[in-house]
Amino acid sequence: MPSGEMHRPPAPIIAAVALNGLLAAFPLVGAILFVTGGEPAGAVVALFALLPGLAAYGLWQGNRGARVVAIGEGVVIGLLGLRAADVAGLGALLFGAVVIVLLAGTDSSRAWFTPGPSSDEELI
């Protein structure tokens, strides 16, 4: 959990949370369409929305594990974008690169995930 005076995430984290939320929204909408169309397999599609949705939640809280998951998602999406030779592939490549840069390339985002002093250190 972030400590000190930082109660609200910095701008790069907010952008990464928005991108992960967007990534979670697509399978969730697809699952709703499947279920309303009479396909029970839509519930399985909804599980694909779980990982980016939980990563977005963890990023907002300053969870370092969520940062690793989100960077991993960015790498996988970027690599999938390299395989596709069309506009969607370029979009996936850019999406992955932007997420990685937002989470690993800025000082404010690295500071957001740096643990604060423990209660023992504050007493000394």
Side-chain angles (χ1 to χ4, degrees), residues 2 20 36 39 45 61 122:
N20 272 287
T36 57
E39 284 288 329
V45 176
Q61 291 184 334
E122 291 175 358

Side-chain angles (χ1 to χ4, degrees), residues 41-85:
V44 175
V45 176
L47 292 176
F48 289 108
L50 220 64
L51 187 63
L54 289 174
Y57 181 70
L59 289 173
W60 190 268
Q61 291 184 334
N63 186 316
R64 288 185 289 170
R67 179 179 181 227
V68 171
V69 169
I71 289 173
E73 288 172 354
V75 168
V76 169
I77 291 170
L79 290 175
L80 290 174
L82 281 176
R83 291 194 63 194

